[in-house]
Amino acid sequence: MANIVQFDQVGLRYGTSPETLSDLSFTLTSGSFYFLTGPSGAGKTSLLKLLYLAQRPTRGAVRLFGEDAGTLPRTRLPGFRRRIGVVFQDFRLLGHLSAYDNIALPLRVAGMPESEIEAPVREMLAWVGLTDRGKARPPTLSGGEQQRIAIARAVIARPEILVADEPTGNVDPEMAERLLHLFDSLNRLGTTVVVATHDFHLLNRIPNARMMRLEKGQLNDPTGALRHPPGAERP
């Protein structure tokens, strides 16, 4: 399979602080599933920010979809970002919009006619178990409900890459399994999935997933091969 992401000696520093990420060199193949693990403060969220173009590397090169993301003109960034679905730790739902309209937003931004939007949005609401909450606004939803709406919004447009930062952190084990099944289904349709998680019970649920483990801003596999099967190691 072709490489959809390539990091070459990437380092990331915020201001004058020591590097948060150092010498990251690895590739992600199109259509694969990856778990990103590591202790708090290891740099997982920072690595994800590089993947969804919220941050540019301090040094080294990040290539997405065959192009150097660091040299992309700003006019092309929105188009690139529409190819990437993101589930944020803090949800980032729009409080003035209903749950339905938050989920529909990526389709509207992509220019889909309103007549074609309702069916997939209703399907997503059902998938995350919130069929009856479509009219609710985020401030009236629980943390777990907001997380599920955020996940539905991220996957509705079937992005080429899905990046999820602790997507099951605010839901019960049964819903966590259901959401992971949704990610797996999307992966089977060809989306490359990267899930950052502390929940090691999930790692054996995707048989073909690979594990990336960060320690103090560096991958524990210096070759970047990322061949550790789920369950092969534990923190």
Side-chain angles (χ1 to χ4, degrees), residues 91 93 128 130 141-151 167-172 175 179:
F91 316 138
L93 300 175
V128 296
L130 294 172
L141 299 171
S142 70
E145 289 172 333
Q146 291 183 52
Q147 181 71 299
R148 285 183 269 166
I149 295 299
I151 290 171
T168 60
N170 291 285
V171 297
D172 60 44
M175 182 53 64
L179 295 176

Side-chain angles (χ1 to χ4, degrees), residues 56 65 128 181 226:
R56 296 201 183 197
F65 313 115
V128 296
H181 179 64
L226 309 180

Side-chain angles (χ1 to χ4, degrees), residues 25-93:
S25 294
F26 63 87
T27 58
L28 304 183
T29 54
S30 179
S32 295
F33 197 118
Y34 299 88
F35 285 112
L36 176 62
T37 70
S40 296
K44 298 189 296 297
T45 296
S46 292
L47 194 159
L48 296 184
K49 285 181 178 180
L50 293 173
L51 283 175
Y52 61 78
L53 301 176
Q55 197 77 39
R56 296 201 183 197
T58 308
R59 61 183 177 88
V62 175
R63 297 182 64 84
L64 295 175
F65 313 115
E67 297 193 53
D68 187 341
T71 60
L72 276 177
R74 292 189 178 277
T75 54
R76 295 192 60 201
L77 284 176
F80 256 60
R81 287 174 175 149
R82 281 197 291 272
R83 301 167 72 179
I84 304 169
V86 186
V87 181
F88 300 98
Q89 274 188 310
D90 56 356
F91 316 138
R92 301 193 191 180
L93 300 175

Side-chain angles (χ1 to χ4, degrees), residues 193-214:
V193 177
V194 182
V195 176
T197 184
H198 283 102
D199 189 350
F200 288 90
H201 296 292
L202 297 178
L203 299 182
N204 291 317
R205 298 297 189 267
I206 308 295
N208 297 319
R210 298 178 178 184
M211 185 160 68
M212 306 163 61
R213 182 172 174 81
L214 274 175

